[in-house]
Amino acid sequence: ELKVEQNPLFLSMQEGKNYTIYCNYSTTSDRLYWYRQDPGKSLESLFVLLSNGAVKQEGRLMASLDTKARLSTLHITAAVHDLSATYFCAVVEGMEYGNKLVFGAGTILRVKS
Amino acid sequence: EPEVTQTPSHQVTQMGQEVILRCVPISNHLYFYWYRQILGQKVEFLVSFYNNEISEKSEIFDDQFSVERPDGSNFTLKIRSTKLEDSAMYFCASSAPDRGFYGYTFGSGTRLTVV
């Protein structure tokens, strides 16, 4: 059974600082997703990582995937208050199309000015 | 950009009542899902649906739950006799792994409150 672990679960950052959120998963998969959720809102897709070594960047966020280590990172550069949200990684179980996503517990990010 | 639409956005129901949550997936998507998120907790898989039948379901998806795609556009989740612990945000999602698109698009959710 696929298990997805995120750490840290809570992250309080100062504006302007850098930090990384880690996502480990327990079984083979080659598709990993990062989502952002604001309080009471839906899941907004940030990144889709489809292969080993994939790296994607959008603004102050950069995500990478190492399928051999079963590890993805979400790196935050020079944090700003608007990045405050909960960030989830989610991994597709198995290799077949349409398989379910298994979510990590989420990382609550608070950026303080 | 295409969206997954869910209705209602918020439903309050009495314990023991039946509720139906509605979703309109993106029109050319092939796979449909229901997830739930109890307040402050992780997003949990309930069920996946493909080719007009359930392809996978979780332990949470017991006999009180059912899904249906009655008319080729709507995708519904029915809870037959609601319990207090069914209070959660329910998200519908759809996916269409085709031509390099591997995304899973989530709807805005239905907040279910059982009193």
Side-chain angles (χ1 to χ4, degrees):
Chain A
E1 181 190 346
L2 173 60
K3 294 202 184 305
V4 181
E5 291 187 355
Q6 277 182 249
N7 68 84
L9 298 182
F10 183 76
L11 179 54
S12 181
M13 295 177 65
Q14 292 286 339
E15 275 193 328
K17 298 291 187 185
N18 304 335
Y19 210 85
T20 300
I21 299 170
Y22 297 89
C23 175
N24 289 91
Y25 55 98
S26 61
T27 64
T28 301
S29 177
D30 61 356
R31 281 173 281 152
L32 188 141
Y33 301 75
W34 284 95
Y35 289 90
R36 170 183 170 141
Q37 187 181 41
D38 292 297
K41 303 291 187 185
S42 187
L43 296 157
E44 175 192 351
S45 178
L46 294 174
F47 299 109
V48 180
L49 302 169
L50 298 177
S51 60
N52 187 42
V55 177
K56 292 202 173 172
Q57 182 158 9
E58 180 75 34
R60 299 174 189 274
L61 301 178
M62 183 173 72
S64 66
L65 176 62
D66 181 344
T67 57
K68 292 188 173 65
R70 297 179 186 161
L71 170 68
S72 179
T73 59
L74 180 67
H75 187 71
I76 302 151
T77 302
V80 294
H81 182 72
D82 286 353
L83 290 179
S84 296
T86 300
Y87 293 84
F88 291 95
C89 66
V91 182
V92 177
E93 184 168 62
M95 309 297 274
E96 294 183 9
Y97 291 140
N99 283 359
K100 68 176 187 279
L101 288 175
V102 177
F103 281 79
T107 297
I108 300 172
L109 174 64
R110 293 288 174 262
V111 181
K112 300 184 291 187
S113 47
Chain B
E1 188 172 327
E3 289 183 344
V4 174
T5 305
Q6 288 187 245
T7 55
S9 57
H10 190 191
Q11 177 144 7
V12 181
T13 188
Q14 293 214 324
M15 194 166 53
Q17 294 295 304
E18 174 183 288
V19 295
I20 297 176
L21 311 183
R22 291 184 165 79
C23 169
V24 179
I26 295 172
S27 60
N28 61 351
H29 281 192
L30 305 174
Y31 297 84
F32 314 112
Y33 312 84
W34 283 101
Y35 288 80
R36 79 171 186 191
Q37 185 181 31
I38 294 170
L39 187 63
Q41 297 188 23
K42 70 192 294 185
V43 180
E44 300 174 291
F45 168 76
L46 292 178
V47 65
S48 56
F49 193 85
Y50 170 71
N51 202 23
N52 284 320
E53 61 183 24
I54 289 174
S55 46
E56 187 176 355
K57 60 185 179 180
S58 71
E59 292 173 353
I60 303 167
F61 194 89
D62 61 21
D63 291 344
Q64 294 298 312
F65 291 86
S66 62
V67 289
E68 202 175 38
R69 189 160 158 79
D71 56 14
S73 63
N74 290 287
F75 179 50
T76 62
L77 174 70
K78 183 192 292 186
I79 309 175
R80 246 178 287 280
S81 176
T82 50
K83 307 183 190 73
L84 294 176
E85 54 264 38
D86 293 328
S87 295
M89 182 78 99
Y90 288 81
F91 292 108
C92 173
S94 68
S95 177
D98 181 34
R99 299 185 182 181
F101 177 77
Y102 296 94
Y104 293 71
T105 304
F106 285 79
S108 55
T110 294
R111 180 167 298 285
L112 177 66
T113 303
V114 182
V115 296

